[in-house]
Amino acid sequence: MNATQTITLTINGKVCEGRAGQTILEVATANDIYIPTLCWMKDRSPWGGCRMCIVEVAGSPKVVPACATPAVAGSQITTNSPRLHNLRRMTLELLFSERNHICPICPMNKGDCGLQHQAYLHGVDSIRFPYLYPALPMDVSGRYFGLDHNRCILCTRCVRTCDEIEGVHTLDIANRGERNLIVVDMHATFGTSETCTSCGACVAACPTGALFDKAQTYRGKLHTCTVVKTTCPECPVGCGLAVYTRENRIVEVFGDPESPLCAGHLCRKGRYETWAEPRRRITQPMLRHNGELKPVSWDEALAHIRRVRDATPVWESVLLASPRLTNEAGQAIHRVADKLDRVGVWLAPNEGALVEAPEPLADVRRQLTEADAFILLGVQPSRDHGLIASYVRRGVRQRQARLIILNCRRSDLDRYADIAVREVSLERAFWAQVAEVLRDVQRPVLLYGTEAMTPIGVAVLERLLAVFEQKASGEAPALIGLPIGTNSIGLVAAGLEAVEDVGSWLDAKPVRYLHLVLGDDHTLGERWFEEKYRALMLETLDLLVVQASYESPLTAHAHVVLPACTWAEKTGTVTNFEGRTLPLKPVIPVRGQARDDAAIVEAVYA
Amino acid sequence: MMELQTIRSVVTSHPSGDARFASLDDTIAHYKAEPTALIQVLHAAQQLFGYLSPDVLRYIAGKLKLPLAQVYGVVTFYHLFTLVPRGKYQIMVCRGTACHVRGAQLILERLSQQLGIKEGETTKDNLFSLHSARCIGACAMAPAIAIGDDVYGKLTPDKVPKFCQKDLKKYT
């Protein structure tokens, strides 16, 4: 049967068009006919377990689940009848009687709960069955989310999401019958799980309050929130975020379903580290006076910087920026570069060659979803690019894609690998094995990172490409470079100098004026700003200006601290690993007297 | 030079060197490490080890490239598999219809009392585990219990203490 063949069927007396292969639910939804669902979820395999989507098909004595039944041309379907209503209502009553659904103490109460919503729709005002009141445990050992079995309806949306989207399959159903329970690994907890990546996709998939985000609990109903779409600031993949806010506070961060690469899925960093923020915010300019930082006005802080700058020669003044800044901030810095000796952006070791004028990538989503082999070279997607790691896991587990990991640190991906080698040998026997694994591969993808830019990495890359050249069939590998800094590519393109080794960059010439533009950087420059160096630098510097959103060891040593906006308050763009320009939009108002990085740079060097 | 190297085709057995794992490896190899052979492999493992410890499950999950949670889900679904050690002999108290109406519940309670263990538990000497079954097919002898291939029928609660003192002594 042709997959694009159009079929016609009748639903509730209305003639509906659909495509062959679609389910009854898909055809109905496309024709604006509502069928209630609980366990069904878009882009997950159908389960057919909750029985809410049952429909009648003329000529069949039985009702069928619309989510798991293919639509047949010419069939006559009824989605609403007294019989269906009573069956659905009974199903709901059974669900309520099975566990301890105590709505008043559930964060999903009144509007966010799929179960409660269906109960309202079906007029469930009482339960005709005796309640079982099972004694169930709950697991709040996870850092970001908890699992309360009392509220679970065993719809397996979390299980399917964990397996099919994040690709780790940490969750499953244990036991049988009324003893069924969602289980983490082999009866572990989220806090002790060996496989959970804390991506929180299970929480986003849960229709009830069984899986809940700790930080979101009781911050407000999601359906009353304002939703703003922006770009994730955590890594160069640049997933789309759908940020839920209420009363100028972030309530929850989900993936944007319309974002081309992430399609609604996020990693731990995007989903939680963006907003479950333990650091202390800086809200006003501060000036060191008698050894202590004191709050001052913007004018005072800027005037002080100007005085010191006037007394400091240009050749002893430098500015160093975080790779998280926007393109606009990078351009602002570049415009004032003549007032300083050097302006740089700090990168990871060996990242420079990866971000200097990279070719724009096209078709990355198709390459990742169709690849039948992944080769990882000097890159740590599990740590640095969570979304890419989920694509790799999906490929290996769902499509039996081959996986070769070369010159990477240990990660959970090793478990799925055909070959995982930390330090590649150039021996002939080893490369014969690589060639054997790749023999029947047609659409390989080569993901490479900073460690592929070392002399050894380049030698390995050449060997790999030679393996592909000798292959009888199959495409050449799609090359996808993954930098580490969120906007390293955009900032280097804006004209900032790539600085891989900050210590020697600063040591190259005498420096008396240092302006650090940190923004909301997580690393806070501590990676390079070591204790011994910090003391030395403070002795030689006339002025250390730290422009940052959060307090850190660097702000503690600064002469002047300037409050900067966080990602959630910024307007601007970043350039992701594909070379796409992605917008950052303000989701909450600017806190205190903080200002945008570009505006601060312009004011300081006006 | 090669610090870490794992290649799927390379056979590495359990680090303990326990010969039973080598035997389990044979079973896994027989099924070509296909994930669909999970139940057969679990069966073999239970035969070898007597029960399925977390260590054994982890080993099987690794060999068959299956998620831990999925292996655990299958093990806990089937009555046949056990996560805790069982005794040398399994006492099955039949609770089928015929045995039920002739007082199987009382037999089970009395046995439990005499052995000092609850249903599902194992005696301290690791000799007997107490279970119940839906029907063992000996309805004519109801109420009946089975120990391995031996069936004991027409029991009454009062016969249980003597049964424990005499008949159970045969099993050592």
PDB file of all heavy atoms in Angstrom, chain A residues 1 8 21 45 95 134 152-153 187 193 204 253 318 337 361 369 449 501 544 557 600:
ATOM      1  N   MET A   1       0.844  -1.206   0.000  1.00  0.00           N
ATOM      2  CA  MET A   1       0.000   0.000   0.000  1.00  0.00           C
ATOM      3  C   MET A   1       0.877   1.253   0.000  1.00  0.00           C
ATOM      4  O   MET A   1       1.841   1.348   0.752  1.00  0.00           O
ATOM      5  CB  MET A   1      -0.888  -0.011   1.254  1.00  0.00           C
ATOM      6  CG  MET A   1      -2.110   0.874   1.117  1.00  0.00           C
ATOM      7  SD  MET A   1      -3.021   0.938   2.661  1.00  0.00           S
ATOM      8  CE  MET A   1      -3.782  -0.665   2.697  1.00  0.00           C
ATOM      9  N   THR A   8     -10.563   7.564   2.487  1.00  0.00           N
ATOM     10  CA  THR A   8     -11.725   8.303   2.966  1.00  0.00           C
ATOM     11  C   THR A   8     -12.511   7.420   3.925  1.00  0.00           C
ATOM     12  O   THR A   8     -12.728   6.242   3.641  1.00  0.00           O
ATOM     13  CB  THR A   8     -12.635   8.711   1.791  1.00  0.00           C
ATOM     14  OG1 THR A   8     -11.803   9.293   0.787  1.00  0.00           O
ATOM     15  CG2 THR A   8     -13.686   9.708   2.220  1.00  0.00           C
ATOM     16  N   GLY A  21      -2.163   4.083   6.461  1.00  0.00           N
ATOM     17  CA  GLY A  21      -1.140   3.883   7.480  1.00  0.00           C
ATOM     18  C   GLY A  21      -1.362   4.727   8.714  1.00  0.00           C
ATOM     19  O   GLY A  21      -0.761   4.470   9.752  1.00  0.00           O
ATOM     20  N   SER A  45       5.726   5.547  20.466  1.00  0.00           N
ATOM     21  CA  SER A  45       4.992   4.408  19.935  1.00  0.00           C
ATOM     22  C   SER A  45       3.650   4.314  20.654  1.00  0.00           C
ATOM     23  O   SER A  45       3.556   4.636  21.836  1.00  0.00           O
ATOM     24  CB  SER A  45       5.809   3.135  20.151  1.00  0.00           C
ATOM     25  OG  SER A  45       6.104   2.981  21.517  1.00  0.00           O
ATOM     26  N   LEU A  95      -9.259   3.764  37.462  1.00  0.00           N
ATOM     27  CA  LEU A  95      -7.948   4.390  37.659  1.00  0.00           C
ATOM     28  C   LEU A  95      -7.892   5.113  39.009  1.00  0.00           C
ATOM     29  O   LEU A  95      -6.929   4.986  39.757  1.00  0.00           O
ATOM     30  CB  LEU A  95      -7.655   5.391  36.535  1.00  0.00           C
ATOM     31  CG  LEU A  95      -7.173   4.816  35.209  1.00  0.00           C
ATOM     32  CD1 LEU A  95      -7.043   5.917  34.176  1.00  0.00           C
ATOM     33  CD2 LEU A  95      -5.826   4.109  35.380  1.00  0.00           C
ATOM     34  N   PRO A 134      -3.516   1.436  48.251  1.00  0.00           N
ATOM     35  CA  PRO A 134      -2.251   0.711  48.418  1.00  0.00           C
ATOM     36  C   PRO A 134      -1.225   1.580  49.148  1.00  0.00           C
ATOM     37  O   PRO A 134      -1.252   2.808  49.017  1.00  0.00           O
ATOM     38  CB  PRO A 134      -1.804   0.444  46.977  1.00  0.00           C
ATOM     39  CG  PRO A 134      -2.421   1.544  46.191  1.00  0.00           C
ATOM     40  CD  PRO A 134      -3.711   1.898  46.860  1.00  0.00           C
ATOM     41  N   CYS A 152       0.487   7.712  40.066  1.00  0.00           N
ATOM     42  CA  CYS A 152       0.833   7.097  38.777  1.00  0.00           C
ATOM     43  C   CYS A 152      -0.351   6.301  38.234  1.00  0.00           C
ATOM     44  O   CYS A 152      -1.027   5.590  38.976  1.00  0.00           O
ATOM     45  CB  CYS A 152       2.050   6.194  38.963  1.00  0.00           C
ATOM     46  SG  CYS A 152       2.510   5.289  37.498  1.00  0.00           S
ATOM     47  N   ILE A 153      -0.617   6.431  36.925  1.00  0.00           N
ATOM     48  CA  ILE A 153      -1.681   5.641  36.302  1.00  0.00           C
ATOM     49  C   ILE A 153      -1.105   4.594  35.354  1.00  0.00           C
ATOM     50  O   ILE A 153      -1.828   3.988  34.578  1.00  0.00           O
ATOM     51  CB  ILE A 153      -2.677   6.553  35.554  1.00  0.00           C
ATOM     52  CG1 ILE A 153      -1.962   7.395  34.487  1.00  0.00           C
ATOM     53  CG2 ILE A 153      -3.435   7.441  36.532  1.00  0.00           C
ATOM     54  CD1 ILE A 153      -2.917   8.100  33.544  1.00  0.00           C
ATOM     55  N   HIS A 187      15.282  -1.563  40.477  1.00  0.00           N
ATOM     56  CA  HIS A 187      14.745  -1.138  41.762  1.00  0.00           C
ATOM     57  C   HIS A 187      15.678  -0.140  42.448  1.00  0.00           C
ATOM     58  O   HIS A 187      15.844  -0.162  43.660  1.00  0.00           O
ATOM     59  CB  HIS A 187      14.504  -2.356  42.669  1.00  0.00           C
ATOM     60  CG  HIS A 187      13.412  -2.127  43.648  1.00  0.00           C
ATOM     61  ND1 HIS A 187      12.089  -2.075  43.286  1.00  0.00           N
ATOM     62  CD2 HIS A 187      13.436  -1.895  44.985  1.00  0.00           C
ATOM     63  CE1 HIS A 187      11.360  -1.835  44.347  1.00  0.00           C
ATOM     64  NE2 HIS A 187      12.142  -1.713  45.387  1.00  0.00           N
ATOM     65  N   SER A 193      20.516   5.964  40.445  1.00  0.00           N
ATOM     66  CA  SER A 193      20.455   5.305  39.151  1.00  0.00           C
ATOM     67  C   SER A 193      21.797   5.363  38.420  1.00  0.00           C
ATOM     68  O   SER A 193      22.482   6.377  38.421  1.00  0.00           O
ATOM     69  CB  SER A 193      19.388   5.962  38.274  1.00  0.00           C
ATOM     70  OG  SER A 193      19.501   5.494  36.952  1.00  0.00           O
ATOM     71  N   ALA A 204       8.275  15.723  31.798  1.00  0.00           N
ATOM     72  CA  ALA A 204       7.514  16.467  30.800  1.00  0.00           C
ATOM     73  C   ALA A 204       6.439  15.586  30.179  1.00  0.00           C
ATOM     74  O   ALA A 204       5.405  16.082  29.740  1.00  0.00           O
ATOM     75  CB  ALA A 204       8.456  17.007  29.720  1.00  0.00           C
ATOM     76  N   VAL A 253      10.967  25.107  32.441  1.00  0.00           N
ATOM     77  CA  VAL A 253      11.592  25.203  31.120  1.00  0.00           C
ATOM     78  C   VAL A 253      11.409  23.869  30.395  1.00  0.00           C
ATOM     79  O   VAL A 253      11.818  22.827  30.902  1.00  0.00           O
ATOM     80  CB  VAL A 253      13.100  25.550  31.239  1.00  0.00           C
ATOM     81  CG1 VAL A 253      13.769  25.457  29.877  1.00  0.00           C
ATOM     82  CG2 VAL A 253      13.291  26.931  31.831  1.00  0.00           C
ATOM     83  N   VAL A 318      43.556  45.019  28.449  1.00  0.00           N
ATOM     84  CA  VAL A 318      42.997  43.894  27.692  1.00  0.00           C
ATOM     85  C   VAL A 318      41.576  43.583  28.160  1.00  0.00           C
ATOM     86  O   VAL A 318      41.188  43.904  29.290  1.00  0.00           O
ATOM     87  CB  VAL A 318      43.856  42.607  27.814  1.00  0.00           C
ATOM     88  CG1 VAL A 318      45.222  42.806  27.201  1.00  0.00           C
ATOM     89  CG2 VAL A 318      43.950  42.134  29.241  1.00  0.00           C
ATOM     90  N   ALA A 337      37.535  47.729  20.126  1.00  0.00           N
ATOM     91  CA  ALA A 337      38.812  47.024  20.248  1.00  0.00           C
ATOM     92  C   ALA A 337      40.010  47.970  20.146  1.00  0.00           C
ATOM     93  O   ALA A 337      41.066  47.716  20.725  1.00  0.00           O
ATOM     94  CB  ALA A 337      38.910  45.934  19.185  1.00  0.00           C
ATOM     95  N   LEU A 361      26.652  23.966   8.288  1.00  0.00           N
ATOM     96  CA  LEU A 361      26.173  22.603   8.078  1.00  0.00           C
ATOM     97  C   LEU A 361      24.712  22.654   7.664  1.00  0.00           C
ATOM     98  O   LEU A 361      23.936  23.455   8.165  1.00  0.00           O
ATOM     99  CB  LEU A 361      26.303  21.786   9.360  1.00  0.00           C
ATOM    100  CG  LEU A 361      27.699  21.688   9.970  1.00  0.00           C
ATOM    101  CD1 LEU A 361      27.635  20.965  11.304  1.00  0.00           C
ATOM    102  CD2 LEU A 361      28.641  20.960   9.023  1.00  0.00           C
ATOM    103  N   THR A 369      19.209  11.468  12.104  1.00  0.00           N
ATOM    104  CA  THR A 369      18.101  10.515  12.245  1.00  0.00           C
ATOM    105  C   THR A 369      18.194   9.366  11.251  1.00  0.00           C
ATOM    106  O   THR A 369      17.506   8.373  11.404  1.00  0.00           O
ATOM    107  CB  THR A 369      16.732  11.209  12.061  1.00  0.00           C
ATOM    108  OG1 THR A 369      16.797  12.026  10.894  1.00  0.00           O
ATOM    109  CG2 THR A 369      16.365  12.052  13.254  1.00  0.00           C
ATOM    110  N   GLY A 449      35.153  16.646  17.977  1.00  0.00           N
ATOM    111  CA  GLY A 449      35.213  17.747  18.927  1.00  0.00           C
ATOM    112  C   GLY A 449      36.610  18.307  19.053  1.00  0.00           C
ATOM    113  O   GLY A 449      37.478  18.070  18.203  1.00  0.00           O
ATOM    114  N   ASP A 501      44.662  29.341  25.856  1.00  0.00           N
ATOM    115  CA  ASP A 501      45.431  29.277  27.097  1.00  0.00           C
ATOM    116  C   ASP A 501      45.486  30.686  27.678  1.00  0.00           C
ATOM    117  O   ASP A 501      46.307  31.513  27.281  1.00  0.00           O
ATOM    118  CB  ASP A 501      46.829  28.735  26.795  1.00  0.00           C
ATOM    119  CG  ASP A 501      47.675  28.628  28.068  1.00  0.00           C
ATOM    120  OD1 ASP A 501      47.213  29.096  29.132  1.00  0.00           O
ATOM    121  OD2 ASP A 501      48.796  28.089  27.972  1.00  0.00           O
ATOM    122  N   LEU A 544      40.872  45.643  37.910  1.00  0.00           N
ATOM    123  CA  LEU A 544      40.200  44.441  37.419  1.00  0.00           C
ATOM    124  C   LEU A 544      38.698  44.726  37.403  1.00  0.00           C
ATOM    125  O   LEU A 544      38.086  44.910  38.456  1.00  0.00           O
ATOM    126  CB  LEU A 544      40.515  43.230  38.315  1.00  0.00           C
ATOM    127  CG  LEU A 544      39.742  41.945  37.992  1.00  0.00           C
ATOM    128  CD1 LEU A 544      40.079  41.431  36.602  1.00  0.00           C
ATOM    129  CD2 LEU A 544      40.033  40.855  39.030  1.00  0.00           C
ATOM    130  N   HIS A 557      37.360  39.270  43.834  1.00  0.00           N
ATOM    131  CA  HIS A 557      38.677  39.900  43.738  1.00  0.00           C
ATOM    132  C   HIS A 557      38.674  41.172  42.895  1.00  0.00           C
ATOM    133  O   HIS A 557      39.693  41.819  42.751  1.00  0.00           O
ATOM    134  CB  HIS A 557      39.688  38.920  43.132  1.00  0.00           C
ATOM    135  CG  HIS A 557      40.117  37.881  44.125  1.00  0.00           C
ATOM    136  ND1 HIS A 557      39.373  36.756  44.374  1.00  0.00           N
ATOM    137  CD2 HIS A 557      41.191  37.822  44.939  1.00  0.00           C
ATOM    138  CE1 HIS A 557      39.983  36.033  45.296  1.00  0.00           C
ATOM    139  NE2 HIS A 557      41.089  36.659  45.663  1.00  0.00           N
ATOM    140  N   ILE A 600      26.782  47.581  28.329  1.00  0.00           N
ATOM    141  CA  ILE A 600      27.816  47.885  29.335  1.00  0.00           C
ATOM    142  C   ILE A 600      29.141  48.188  28.647  1.00  0.00           C
ATOM    143  O   ILE A 600      29.814  49.172  28.961  1.00  0.00           O
ATOM    144  CB  ILE A 600      27.994  46.710  30.336  1.00  0.00           C
ATOM    145  CG1 ILE A 600      26.689  46.439  31.098  1.00  0.00           C
ATOM    146  CG2 ILE A 600      29.128  47.015  31.315  1.00  0.00           C
ATOM    147  CD1 ILE A 600      26.734  45.226  32.017  1.00  0.00           C
TER     148      ILE A 600
END
